[in-house]
Amino acid sequence: MSARAPRWLPRRAGVRRSGALGLLLATLLFAPASEAVRADAFAGTLTIVGSDTLSTLVLRWSEVFRARHPDVLIQLQTPGSASAPIALLEGAADIGAMSRPMSADEQATFKQRYGYAPTGIIVARDAIVVIVHPDNPLTSITRRQLDAIYSDTLRCGAPAPITRWSALDGPDSPNADTRILPTGRNSASGTSEFFREQALCGGEYRADVVVWPGHGATVAAVAGNPEAIGYVGIGYLNGLVKPLAFAPSDDAAPVAPVMENVMSGDYPLARPLYLYVNRPPDREPSPLPADFLAYVLSDDAQAAVAGEGFLPLERGDRETQTHLIRATMPRL
């Protein structure tokens, strides 16, 4: 029997907000679903803070988890991956969702306060896709070209920045004399950091790159402007934008951003997605986040991953992640 549709509730009182977050966090609470069949007697509020990329997947997992545990409220806040370490550090989240691994500085800050590092598990895999307007004749792009469009540090070896479509489409392109409008994600986003490291060779973004708080806004911006180029998670592709094949070097064949290529390892802009918890090494965390993590690595939860446009973990990968936090895993 399916769970009743979630309704909007006010944010839970008492959750601290760090000034470093500096963001208005959208909060979703799933109210008790009386029609659901209770599998176990759990009650309380589970707070998950972090990645916009993971938001739809965590939302889907939360709905099913709530159906199994009707007395659980799930609070989901998704301003970006950078908010997860802060929320975990301050005790404002039970689980931190990140589309990148926690940085050495973030782990060091956490360890300075608690004496141990946070525990992270890989829960799915994703790919970043470069997109343009459907009318754009371009079909592929190289790492050097992306770096020249998005940065002025030019660490990938381009001789000069690229600012007009004629440099990519050729002089006969309908966009030949048009300036390129580079769009991307804001600095709180793990996607922005991943793209900077992988597509800009660790360089810095140009000041004129237009940034957006979420993948949906990036897709809308590119869909509505023939001059624009952007990058989004593969799960956010739709018919309103055109994905480009990506070549890691000028002499490499472009690889299409399709699931088969991501799964085979041929598509270069692929990445794991993480959930982090504050787990002391000498004891288990509270049962509620532990049970949620157990569900996330289950067959049922991983079957939902592909439905949200991501790649599920193979069984061997799931066993590895389970071993990483076995003390937190009461069952699968």
Side-chain angles (χ1 to χ4, degrees):
M1 183 177 296
S2 61
R4 188 172 56 199
R7 58 186 173 87
W8 288 94
L9 296 176
R11 180 181 282 112
R12 180 181 64 169
V15 173
R16 294 189 297 160
R17 297 189 211 171
S18 166
L21 283 176
L23 294 168
L24 295 177
L25 303 183
T27 303
L28 181 61
L29 293 179
F30 295 93
S34 59
E35 300 174 6
V37 177
R38 183 191 303 259
D40 295 287
F42 276 96
T45 299
L46 182 68
T47 304
I48 305 172
V49 176
S51 168
D52 171 73
T53 299
L54 271 163
S55 60
T56 57
L57 184 55
V58 173
L59 177 61
R60 184 165 176 177
W61 283 335
S62 299
E63 290 171 338
V64 177
F65 189 80
R66 283 254 33 272
R68 298 181 178 187
H69 306 292
D71 293 328
V72 171
L73 300 179
I74 296 182
Q75 179 173 262
L76 178 61
Q77 304 173 353
T78 59
S81 293
S83 63
I86 300 171
L88 283 175
L89 181 72
E90 298 193 346
D94 303 296
I95 295 175
M98 301 188 70
S99 60
R100 60 170 175 82
M102 199 175 288
S103 71
D105 287 345
E106 290 166 337
Q107 293 199 46
T109 300
F110 188 96
K111 190 172 183 179
Q112 184 176 15
R113 176 172 297 188
Y114 291 101
Y116 53 87
T119 299
I121 63 170
I122 297 172
V123 296
R125 299 189 185 278
D126 185 27
I128 300 304
V129 181
V130 180
I131 57 173
V132 294
H133 190 274
D135 293 339
N136 193 310
L138 198 65
T139 59
S140 65
I141 198 161
T142 69
R143 177 178 277 120
R144 183 179 296 190
Q145 289 171 332
L146 280 177
D147 185 35
I149 290 170
Y150 277 92
S151 84
D152 51 17
T153 49
L154 303 179
R155 290 189 181 178
C156 296
I162 294 175
T163 59
R164 295 191 177 273
W165 283 108
S166 57
L168 301 175
D169 295 340
D172 297 329
S173 167
N175 287 342
D177 294 328
T178 305
R179 290 188 65 85
I180 298 173
L181 176 63
T183 69
R185 297 294 309 283
N186 58 22
S187 59
S189 163
T191 301
S192 172
E193 179 64 16
F194 176 85
F195 190 80
R196 186 183 72 82
E197 290 290 340
Q198 298 299 318
L200 311 187
C201 299
E204 301 297 332
Y205 286 101
R206 287 207 319 246
D208 61 347
V209 175
V210 178
V211 298
W212 301 97
H215 292 278
T218 305
V219 169
V222 175
N225 192 333
E227 301 176 13
I229 188 171
Y231 56 88
V232 296
I234 195 171
Y236 292 83
L237 289 179
N238 58 34
L240 300 177
V241 293
K242 177 181 178 180
L244 299 182
F246 175 75
S249 62
D250 293 350
D251 56 357
V255 181
V258 295
M259 287 298 181
E260 308 91 87
N261 292 335
V262 178
M263 293 182 71
S264 69
D266 292 335
Y267 185 72
L269 297 179
R271 61 179 178 172
L273 303 174
Y274 300 85
L275 292 182
Y276 282 87
V277 291
N278 181 347
R279 180 177 73 86
D282 57 346
R283 64 182 186 274
E284 295 182 2
S286 59
L288 190 52
D291 203 65
F292 186 82
L293 292 173
Y295 165 67
V296 162
L297 292 176
S298 71
D299 291 342
D300 288 348
Q302 287 295 306
V305 171
E308 295 300 326
F310 301 103
L311 291 175
L313 300 182
E314 296 182 354
R315 183 167 294 277
D317 289 337
R318 282 190 278 156
E319 291 175 354
T320 299
Q321 300 310 306
T322 300
H323 289 315
L324 287 176
I325 54 168
R326 179 163 295 280
T328 74
M329 309 301 286
R331 56 188 166 277
L332 282 177

